[in-house]
Amino acid sequence: MTRMRKKATLWIGLLCTMIPAAAAAQASADVDPMDEAYADLDLLVSVGLVQKIITGQKPYSRVAFATFAREARSRLAEPDARQQKARFLEALERLEQRFAPELAGVCEEGGGEGACPARTAGTAGTLELRPRGAWLEATYADSPERAMRTSYRDADLIDGALNPLLQNNQGRLLVDGATTAIEASVDAVLGSAFAIQARPRVRMHNAREADAGADATLQQAFVRAAAGNLTVDVGRNFIELGQGRTGGTVLSRNPRGMEQARVASASPFRLPGPFRGWGLVEASATLGDMGSDREFPGAKFVLLEWTLKPVRYFEFGAGLLNVQGGEGAPAASFGERLRNVFITFYESGGDEPISEKLATVHGRITIPSVGWEVYLDLASTDVKLDGFDSFKSEAAWLVGTRMAGLGTQGRLDLWLEGRRTGVRPYTHHQFSSGLTLDRRVLGDPMGPLATGWQMGVDWNGAQQTLSVMGAWERYSGDDYCRCLSDGFVWDREADNPDEIRLRTMVTWTRSPAETPVRTILRLGHERVTRFNFTDRNRSNFMAQFRVGYVW
């Protein structure tokens, strides 16, 4: 059996094991990965109140949140449960209140374990339209973007834009100037088998060096069908893959949602027979479109994800992203394209490679007795087993740690992340647009040839939070070539000045329990030395105010 057939058989087998489940999956809308509910859930995971979860694949659905809340409530009742701090209980109560309709349905199906409020979910077979929230947003910024570079000899081979203060926000466009936006979220469910979700956004902008204007877009717009433990999504949606605070090194919170068809497990499951000892598993396969704003418009991507949790406090995942095709791209037969997806190092019989690839592994260790987490992400465009250079020059790394629930009431969190990207982790061969979507890098927002450290402290009150983040980033201006050494080695051809960014971001959020109104104020400042690799230094800043009504 060929390697391609073996890999295809493995994925088909994984998908088949998702279909039978103890309780049928209920189709429901996703919760935006930037929603405050994730902060409450992350806390419950870090202290061990939620264990039946895979953290490396997001977003989670509303039903998934209800399931996690039910598990946390059940664990609080266990005889060996240690005394929980005030903040832990507040986080759980907020999730139970927010997802009460879904929690009632989960409890009814699961036989009454834990706290089960009276059922308020809709009647089976009835189409229900459910508004989930609306936001009004105003942003003012003095922060110009610049083009990315990869420091190849005689070429810049990535169509990416860098503007840290105004990016890493799921593709929401904020201009260097004034931006006002209205965003709403609505979903509809038909019984337990189908769900529809839409998130329209209308933007008005007045940039410093461009004409004022307005536009509209859909942040999300997809249909979901559920059968057993299997869900199928068709439309535009977000995917985050990895362990970082804002996603991983392959798919982060930087780009907008992508048009896709995705088959995934609705909840973690166990493989049958001798593989049951592997623990909890989640898997998905996605076929999507890379958009038109690129060198080869209409290029397609295939994403294969697989994550397992062999023990309660350790998680390990892997994934493969393959981008190929599009108008003007190298031609290939269907068989060549299929082999290129399932055989990692296969290209084509012609002179030009037919795809751009990125492989990833990621893992997380949690020590709930002290609320401590350590995590790692690695992605590489090329993996050569005869040396370490490919893991340096071709790779993107992310390492992080977090201490959650410090203090007598558990109000304080501390975190630290380090990141490094090599010469070309997001661009390869003739694909000069690289792994970007509308000029946003899919993975680490820094793009190629950068090193960064971020650290922060979060204070979490009963109805408000205050987060302070500091970052140091260095973007290399050096030029590289494969011209001096033998083998797979990138040599520095010229030692040019680097661009250095020092950034501070302060975010205040108010979420009163007695009202669904949410208020967010965000202030950011950035000092840039040698902006765009010139002798020019500058200071960037942004101020953003958001007020929303969230159900």
Side-chain angles (χ1 to χ4, degrees), residues 98-113:
R98 174 85 177 271
F99 303 104
E102 292 80 12
L103 181 60
V106 168
C107 288
E108 180 176 287
E109 294 171 3
E113 179 185 353

Side-chain angles (χ1 to χ4, degrees), residues 205-255:
H205 53 88
N206 187 3
R208 296 177 187 280
E209 299 182 2
D211 295 334
D215 51 50
T217 187
L218 285 170
Q219 290 290 106
Q220 292 172 295
F222 68 92
V223 178
R224 170 169 295 161
N229 195 37
L230 199 69
T231 61
V232 179
D233 295 354
V234 178
R236 175 177 289 191
N237 200 10
F238 304 115
I239 303 176
E240 285 188 16
L241 176 62
Q243 301 291 348
R245 286 175 62 87
T246 58
T249 51
V250 170
L251 284 170
S252 70
R253 198 170 294 173
N254 194 41

Side-chain angles (χ1 to χ4, degrees), residues 133-210:
W135 288 92
L136 175 63
E137 170 189 303
T139 306
Y140 183 78
D142 183 359
S143 182
E145 71 176 31
R146 68 160 174 84
M148 288 181 174
R149 65 190 297 268
T150 55
S151 298
Y152 283 108
R153 176 187 283 183
D154 301 325
D156 289 334
L157 298 181
I158 185 167
D159 294 335
L162 178 76
N163 197 343
L165 283 177
L166 305 183
Q167 294 179 344
N168 207 21
N169 57 2
Q170 297 176 328
R172 291 173 173 89
L173 298 179
L174 303 174
V175 301
D176 178 27
T179 308
T180 305
I182 301 173
E183 187 173 314
S185 178
V186 63
D187 63 66
V189 295
L190 179 60
S192 62
F194 297 96
I196 302 171
Q197 184 169 6
R199 182 182 288 269
R201 177 179 173 87
V202 178
R203 180 183 69 129
M204 293 139 283
H205 53 88
N206 187 3
R208 296 177 187 280
E209 299 182 2

Side-chain angles (χ1 to χ4, degrees), residues 311-322:
V311 293
R312 287 185 297 176
Y313 304 128
F314 173 67
E315 178 180 313
F316 174 81
L320 179 64
L321 178 68
N322 183 296

Side-chain angles (χ1 to χ4, degrees), residues 395-423:
W397 292 78
L398 183 154
V399 294
T401 185
R402 177 174 180 251
M403 291 286 291
L406 301 177
T408 56
Q409 293 187 321
R411 303 275 179 213
L412 204 63
D413 299 339
L414 305 175
W415 60 272
L416 172 69
E417 283 190 353
R419 300 178 292 157
R420 186 187 187 282
T421 56
V423 177

Side-chain angles (χ1 to χ4, degrees), residues 41 44-45 48-54 63-78 92 96 103 106-107 113-115 268 280 309 312-313:
L41 178 60
L44 299 181
V45 172
L49 290 177
V50 176
Q51 300 175 13
K52 297 177 181 178
I53 185 174
I54 297 293
V63 166
F65 266 93
T67 303
F68 300 144
R70 180 188 177 212
E71 179 190 352
R73 179 61 67 180
S74 177
R75 293 193 186 281
L76 280 176
E78 293 178 354
L92 176 55
E96 289 176 331
L103 181 60
V106 168
C107 288
E113 179 185 353
L280 297 178
K309 194 173 188 178
R312 287 185 297 176
Y313 304 128

